[in-house]
Structures are given as structure tokens and as C-alpha cells.
Amino acid sequence: RCLRVTDRVRCWYDERMTHPALARHPDPKRVLIIGGGDCGCLRETLKHESVTHVDSVEIDERVTRVCEQYFPQLCVSNNDPRAHFQFVDGIQWVKKSAVGSYDVLIVDSTDPVGPASGLFSRTFYEQCRRILAPGGILCAQSESPLLYPEIIRDMDRDLRAAGFQETTLLNFPMCTYPSGWWSATLAFKATPAPARNPSALSGRTRYFSAAIAEAAAVKPPLFQDHDAR
């Protein structure tokens, strides 16, 4: 078992899942979040002033309502007029979305079992690429590099097979998750632009910074020895 949501360190995950992708896009306006019912990724996404619209798609409305009750600090942006909640199946939402609908797509999923297994498939990634606008970026949680390197390897293979031009693995500590080390994978629809300076977020994040952003893409020798890619 693991603690999925905490007051103290949840920001490590939420900031890592959002700000790297948003900082790599030159002008992110429309964002889709799949999963993320605790609303932490929504809160972080809305810190970017360029963002004008966020669809937060969560299959289980109860997750959001419970977090509003017990983790209100994660839900401080739920009433932001840019936030639009859709309590439906994320896979179906992506299938029905129009071509080029979003600039950034964040897949804040649970583990690849049960209902979430379809979020780790080439078919899903193809649909994600279809609904991303030119220059669009996908960020998906990709499990523990220490425990599940095969999942990361398969994700990278399927993302590239789906047509994404480049991928980057970001690794970061997450002390409440299995092994204490976690990852997110960035996938770029086209050759990515240089990252914007995240200094505009100064004082508004607890974990993410320009230095952290640069360091996260560096794989320790341990990961290189057991290269998941």
C-alpha cells in the first residue's frame, strides 16, 4: 500500500506532472487533464497565466468531492472560471475531442491495471497526439523507475510508435509512493522548443524550480545501467 494524497509532499508530484510540460510549450492556452481527481494538477496548471481553459476529466466524481472536503488546499482553484470539470471516462473524452483541441495534455493516471490500463496503450497515445495542436506536449505519469522499468520502456516505445517525435523521462523523489522514486514522461508532437524560464512561478511552487527542471531529465547511472528506454 501507499499514500496517494498527503498535505505535505503531494506538491512534489503535482508540480512535476505539470510545470515541465507547460514550461516547454511556448504559449500553452488549452490544457486537458486526464485523471487527477484530487485537483492538485489542476491547481498547478492554473498558476500559468497563459492558460485560458482546462478540461479536468475524472471518471469518478466522488474522488474530487472527497478531496474538496478533506484536502481543500489541493482544490483552491476548483472555482477558477478557467476550470471545467468533466466526470466521464478519459479515454472516451479523448476519442470524441476534435483534432488539435489542446496545447498540453496531462495524464495523471493510477497504475496500469483495471480501468487505467487503457491509458498506457499505443491506441490511446495515437488519439492523444491527434487532439494535440501543432507543438503540443503530453505528460504522463510513468511509475517507478526502480520497480517498473519495463512499463517506462513500453511507454516510450508506444509513444514513439504513435508518432511523437521526442520523449523525455523525468525522475523525481516521491517518498509516499512505492520505492520512494517516481517518474513522468514528456512526449512532444514536434521537435520541442527551448524551455521557457520558469521564474514567473517564483514563490508559487514548493518543489519545482529552474534547477530542478534541468536536473530531473538527468538519469542517474543506476537507471542508465538498467535503461528502461
Side-chain angles (χ1 to χ4, degrees):
R1 296 185 179 183
C2 68
L3 295 174
R4 283 291 180 184
V5 182
T6 68
D7 290 337
R8 187 167 187 178
V9 301
R10 178 66 187 190
C11 62
W12 297 6
Y13 176 89
D14 295 330
E15 292 178 14
R16 175 58 62 212
M17 285 293 298
T18 54
H19 300 311
L22 290 158
R24 293 302 299 270
H25 194 285
D27 189 27
K29 294 184 180 301
R30 295 182 63 85
V31 179
L32 172 60
I33 301 173
I34 301 293
D38 57 62
C39 304
C41 284
L42 175 65
R43 178 191 64 183
E44 296 305 317
T45 296
L46 290 171
K47 290 179 180 179
H48 292 258
E49 294 182 358
S50 66
V51 172
T52 61
H53 182 103
V54 182
D55 283 318
S56 182
V57 179
E58 166 60 51
I59 196 170
D60 186 353
E61 182 177 358
R62 183 63 178 159
V63 174
T64 297
R65 301 310 174 206
V66 168
C67 285
E68 288 175 337
Q69 181 178 1
Y70 293 103
F71 296 93
Q73 74 286 351
L74 290 176
C75 302
V76 294
S77 297
N78 285 20
N79 293 322
D80 189 303
R82 297 172 292 168
H84 302 268
F85 289 93
Q86 317 291 342
F87 296 110
V88 296
D89 185 331
I91 294 174
Q92 295 304 314
W93 180 272
V94 169
K95 282 184 179 179
K96 294 177 181 179
S97 295
V99 172
S101 299
Y102 299 100
D103 299 308
V104 174
L105 200 168
I106 297 164
V107 185
D108 180 12
S109 68
T110 54
D111 299 328
V113 295
S117 60
L119 299 173
F120 290 77
S121 70
R122 174 178 172 177
T123 299
F124 176 68
Y125 298 144
E126 289 172 342
Q127 291 295 325
C128 289
R129 186 180 183 279
R130 181 185 63 82
I131 69 171
L132 282 170
I137 300 172
L138 168 73
C139 180
Q141 83 83 6
S142 45
E143 302 289 309
S144 168
L146 295 175
L147 298 181
Y148 306 112
E150 69 282 356
I151 292 177
I152 297 173
R153 181 193 62 234
D154 292 348
M155 282 184 65
D156 185 81
R157 178 200 64 207
D158 290 342
L159 284 162
R160 291 176 181 272
F164 285 93
Q165 294 299 302
E166 185 175 320
T167 61
T168 299
L169 179 68
L170 307 176
N171 60 91
F172 57 98
M174 192 60 198
C175 59
T176 59
Y177 282 13
S179 83
W181 205 260
W182 216 250
S183 73
T185 296
L186 294 179
F188 301 89
K189 188 170 183 177
T191 301
R196 290 180 290 115
N197 190 332
S199 59
L201 295 171
S202 179
R204 305 182 67 191
T205 59
R206 296 175 60 194
Y207 177 76
F208 181 80
S209 67
I212 289 291
E214 183 176 354
V218 178
K219 289 192 294 184
L222 172 64
F223 297 168
Q224 294 171 4
D225 291 343
H226 301 84
D227 199 335
R229 297 161 64 89

